[in-house]
Amino acid sequence: MDILYGWMMYGLSLLTVGGIYGIIVLGLNLQWGITGLFNIGIAGFFAVGAYSTAILTSPATENHVGGFELPVAIGLLGSMFFSGIMAFIIGKICLRLRGDYLAIATIGLAEILRLILKNEVWLTSGPRGIPGIPRPFEELGQPWAEIAFLLIVLTILFIIYLALQRAIHSPWGRVMRAIRENEKAAASTGKDVDGLRLEAFVIGSIFMGLGGALLSHSMKFVGPSASDPLVTTFLAWVMLTIGGSGNNKGAVIGAFIIWTVWSASELLSGVLSFKWMNQLSYFRVFLIGFILQIILQKKPEGIIPEKVYQHK
Amino acid sequence: MTELFTYYLFPGLILGSIYALGAIGVSLLFGILRFAHFAHGDLMTFGAYVAFSMVTLFNISPYMAIPASIVGGIGISILIDKVCYRPFRQSKTIVLVISSLGVSLMLRSIIQIFWGVDYEVYFSGIQPSIDVAEDFRIKIHHIWIMLGSFSLIFLTHLFLKNTKLGKAMRAMSDDSELALITGIHTERVITATWIIGGSLAAVAGIFLGIDTQLSPSMGWDQLLPLFAAAILGGIGRPYGAIAGAMIIGVAEELSSYPGFLGENAPLLSPAYKTGVAFFIMVVMLIFKPTGLFRGRQF
């Protein structure tokens, strides 16, 4: 019975984090899949969200600013607000860059943000991180608290999915895809290309920030590793590529698949002896990179390719 | 004044010459293959660790390990190109960027698996230095790093200037369509680019390891200055990349010089040095994307 219970808790956490990544990848799909903005600074927006909610909701402390003990809902809204503001400022400056150059600029900003989180101890308590972040419905006790949190995540994921589905199939979504395919042509029909690119960038980044915030609440802790480009930026890109760029359903499915592979390899490391445990945790990075190569080369459109609507 | 020179200007030039070795490769690859190679920093790390193995196995100085490390750097570069970049020659360049991001992490994980995650050094103890003038000391390693970088840069210059392949490389990175009409063998030029880029990156890694220490993320952390140098000098302009690297290196070190404001406070905390490179790069991209030496813009 204990083993079964353990597996159930493992499954709950798998679905929760998978769902959180689903939200992030939906944001990335809006930016890259639909509008064609190459953002590899996901970790930056993710970390802003994660730290915003941590500072807003954690108990008061001497170690850093705040600990304002606000309700979780305020924390989530706050993290969306701050990541949105940051995306607006960054977008205003960097979105005039295209392709590779935008990629370099976004990853540069994310790296600088990583330095800030590590060095500005008054704000983030530095390498020690912020513990004691509350998780909603914790008073229900195991396993009901976990189930409740999973339901919250899945509800948010579902709402964002529906909203994006509608948005993408609206005239707004068609303009976004037009911008992705041919910016000049879109501009020639009188569309405000710069404004729309900024919209997609800000909305997508808000979802990334929300994802970071939800993960903070799920882990009840946030540290500088939140801004590690590996576990957020890279995983999100692999998830979107595998699921099918340009397709919301693919984005969510890709998120669950890759998160399962990622955390299942962690499970495997528990079986191995201590000596090999460390090695394995690096090997799984290699494994994910390898999967990405195979998908890029053999099935670049992903598991669920984008549907292209054509007038008959 | 000597303090400025000893602790800021001179180390800035050292850093700049290390950046230059990496930035030449980034610039040439960007010009010829038309994509930002995100795994270039990790090629540096790989070179540094190959040399580290030589140092620990045969108990030699890291300078003696340079040839082995160059061979390793060339080998891994060509292998990566064949397996991970060549299939995408006809694809959109953005696919290459994603692929190189993946390669960067795969390379780092290989390094972590084989060499571990701890900080390592080539030598322990205090690095010897000599007095050049009163109050002005130079570390002996810094002299070697500078001599080494400059001679490699000079060799690269001779190759680009005088050999047929070198000329073909410059032609392709200047204007690849025009170069193709003249019947240049594309794949041969690309392989040559990887040989140069891979070997310079390997040596850059060793020098960086001598100057500071080795860690699996040492190369990744240099990615911004490398790109900044390549963009500042103009994409596809190897000589521009050298100048850009020197400017970035000196600017990064000077940013923490306490003497400017006259109140012993640095302009910027040393922790944010990389921010200087990034700032220069973004300003350049926005106001003069072709760089100082009129490079290409894609």
Side-chain angles (χ1 to χ4, degrees):
Chain A
M1 231 16 230
D2 276 354
I3 292 174
L4 209 64
Y5 184 73
W7 278 101
M8 190 186 81
M9 294 307 288
Y10 177 71
L12 282 177
S13 112
L14 196 75
L15 287 173
T16 307
V17 183
I20 291 172
Y21 269 99
I23 295 171
I24 295 167
V25 181
L26 280 177
L28 180 63
N29 188 39
L30 176 63
Q31 290 179 346
W32 167 246
I34 306 296
T35 321
L37 307 174
F38 200 95
N39 176 8
I40 45 175
I42 301 170
F45 299 104
F46 177 89
V48 166
Y51 272 97
S52 302
T53 199
I55 291 169
L56 288 173
T57 60
S58 64
T61 165
E62 297 285 299
N63 293 335
H64 57 87
V65 154
F68 294 109
E69 285 186 89
L70 291 167
V72 172
I74 306 277
L76 294 181
L77 288 175
S79 61
M80 289 166 79
F81 176 77
F82 286 117
S83 43
I85 291 283
M86 196 179 86
F88 182 80
I89 296 168
I90 291 174
K92 268 282 179 207
I93 300 168
C94 292
L95 276 185
R96 59 186 93 185
L97 306 172
R98 302 284 186 268
D100 294 25
Y101 295 105
L102 180 60
I104 297 172
T106 49
I107 202 159
L109 280 165
E111 288 291 300
I112 287 175
L113 198 80
R114 192 152 70 102
L115 292 179
I116 295 176
L117 294 179
K118 220 161 66 186
N119 292 303
E120 299 304 319
V121 177
W122 62 273
L123 181 68
T124 63
S125 126
R128 271 185 302 178
I130 302 179
I133 303 168
R135 191 198 286 168
F137 300 112
E138 234 171 335
E139 61 281 1
L140 294 177
Q142 266 193 356
W144 299 108
E146 278 76 9
I147 292 175
F149 191 72
L150 172 64
L151 287 178
I152 294 175
V153 169
L154 291 183
T155 313
I156 295 175
L157 175 67
F158 191 62
I159 292 171
I160 291 176
Y161 173 79
L162 285 185
L164 279 177
Q165 244 354 53
R166 272 200 79 134
I168 284 174
H169 295 111
S170 72
W172 184 83
R174 281 198 292 275
V175 180
M176 290 302 185
R177 263 174 295 177
I179 291 173
R180 179 190 69 189
E181 296 300 329
N182 190 334
E183 236 171 76
K184 280 192 183 124
S188 72
T189 60
K191 305 296 179 196
D192 174 17
V193 171
D194 288 339
L196 287 163
R197 278 163 57 99
L198 187 61
E199 262 175 45
F201 190 68
V202 170
I203 297 173
S205 304
I206 286 175
F207 294 152
M208 292 166 187
L210 178 63
L214 285 170
L215 201 64
S216 283
H217 289 293
S218 165
M219 303 290 176
K220 299 199 233 174
F221 171 81
V222 63
S225 65
S227 57
D228 184 353
L230 165 70
V231 271
T232 34
T233 306
F234 184 57
L235 277 187
W237 268 97
V238 176
M239 287 163 175
L240 182 63
T241 311
I242 284 176
S245 182
N247 188 315
N248 285 328
K249 205 179 287 170
V252 174
I253 291 174
F256 279 108
I257 292 177
I258 289 302
W259 183 252
T260 309
V261 173
W262 180 256
S263 67
S265 49
E266 192 175 39
L267 205 67
L268 203 67
S269 68
V271 185
L272 291 167
S273 67
F274 185 73
K275 184 181 177 293
W276 289 99
M277 235 158 79
N278 268 329
Q279 254 76 351
L280 199 89
S281 69
Y282 303 114
F283 179 74
R284 64 181 180 160
V285 179
F286 186 85
L287 181 76
I288 296 285
F290 188 71
I291 295 175
L292 176 71
Q293 277 299 325
I294 291 177
I295 290 282
L296 280 179
Q297 294 187 17
K298 303 291 175 204
K299 206 165 167 33
E301 70 281 2
I303 297 171
I304 308 180
E306 184 185 8
K307 271 192 205 137
V308 182
Y309 296 95
Q310 277 175 331
H311 280 290
K312 297 215 171 88
Chain B
M1 208 49 208
T2 44
E3 190 203 345
L4 173 71
F5 201 85
T6 317
Y7 296 110
Y8 299 95
L9 213 51
F10 194 69
L13 289 174
I14 300 296
L15 198 60
S17 48
I18 295 173
Y19 288 161
L21 293 177
I24 293 172
V26 167
S27 188
L28 281 174
L29 286 168
F30 211 150
I32 289 172
L33 289 169
R34 299 173 168 209
F35 81 108
H37 186 223
F38 276 91
H40 213 73
D42 299 272
L43 285 181
M44 285 170 60
T45 318
F46 185 78
Y49 273 92
V50 170
F52 180 70
S53 281
M54 292 292 144
V55 169
T56 44
L57 277 178
F58 304 111
N59 204 12
I60 52 173
S61 107
Y63 299 105
M64 300 299 288
I66 287 178
S69 172
I70 285 182
V71 170
I74 292 175
I76 194 97
S77 304
I78 290 181
L79 179 76
I80 288 171
D81 180 58
K82 287 269 176 304
V83 178
C84 301
Y85 301 146
R86 198 173 180 173
F88 305 118
R89 293 268 202 268
Q90 307 303 327
S91 317
K92 282 188 191 161
T93 57
I94 219 78
V95 184
L96 277 166
V97 176
I98 301 175
S99 179
S100 77
L101 198 63
V103 166
S104 143
L105 288 161
M106 283 160 83
L107 211 50
R108 204 194 308 179
S109 65
I110 290 174
I111 290 164
Q112 285 163 329
I113 291 170
F114 283 104
W115 284 286
V117 290
D118 300 328
Y119 286 100
E120 308 278 2
V121 285
Y122 290 126
F123 330 85
S124 43
I126 300 166
Q127 297 195 355
S129 53
I130 47 167
D131 291 306
V132 181
E134 202 183 339
D135 290 338
F136 179 39
R137 298 168 69 79
I138 293 182
K139 283 183 191 156
I140 291 173
H141 287 309
H142 280 171
I143 298 174
W144 286 120
I145 289 174
M146 206 147 204
L147 282 177
S149 306
F150 281 175
S151 34
L152 273 173
I153 289 170
F154 186 64
L155 281 177
T156 313
H157 161 76
L158 286 182
F159 172 80
L160 290 173
K161 199 97 191 165
N162 297 321
T163 65
K164 216 174 162 190
L165 198 56
K167 282 179 194 164
M169 271 171 68
R170 280 191 299 148
M172 245 184 101
S173 97
D174 205 40
D175 187 332
S176 53
E177 274 94 18
L178 199 62
L180 285 177
I181 302 173
T182 62
I184 285 175
H185 194 313
T186 324
E187 282 302 319
R188 219 155 68 202
V189 171
I190 291 175
T191 309
T193 313
W194 282 112
I195 290 175
I196 290 185
S199 42
L200 293 183
V203 179
I206 299 179
F207 286 170
L208 189 66
I210 292 172
D211 193 30
T212 55
Q213 55 196 0
L214 290 95
S215 79
S217 67
M218 62 188 278
W220 171 264
D221 295 336
Q222 313 307 319
L223 203 57
L224 276 187
L226 292 192
F227 281 137
I231 287 166
L232 184 60
I235 294 298
R237 303 269 170 199
Y239 305 122
I242 298 165
M246 289 299 172
I247 296 173
I248 298 281
V250 170
E252 281 192 356
E253 290 294 335
L254 282 185
S255 70
S256 48
Y257 176 59
F260 288 131
L261 301 174
E263 52 209 37
N264 258 352
L267 284 178
L268 202 66
S269 146
Y272 293 118
K273 261 191 230 171
T274 324
V276 178
F278 179 74
F279 178 74
I280 296 175
M281 181 179 76
V282 168
V283 169
M284 216 54 198
L285 279 177
I286 288 171
F287 294 107
K288 201 168 183 314
T290 50
L292 295 175
F293 293 83
R294 274 192 279 141
R296 306 178 66 189
Q297 195 196 357
F298 297 108

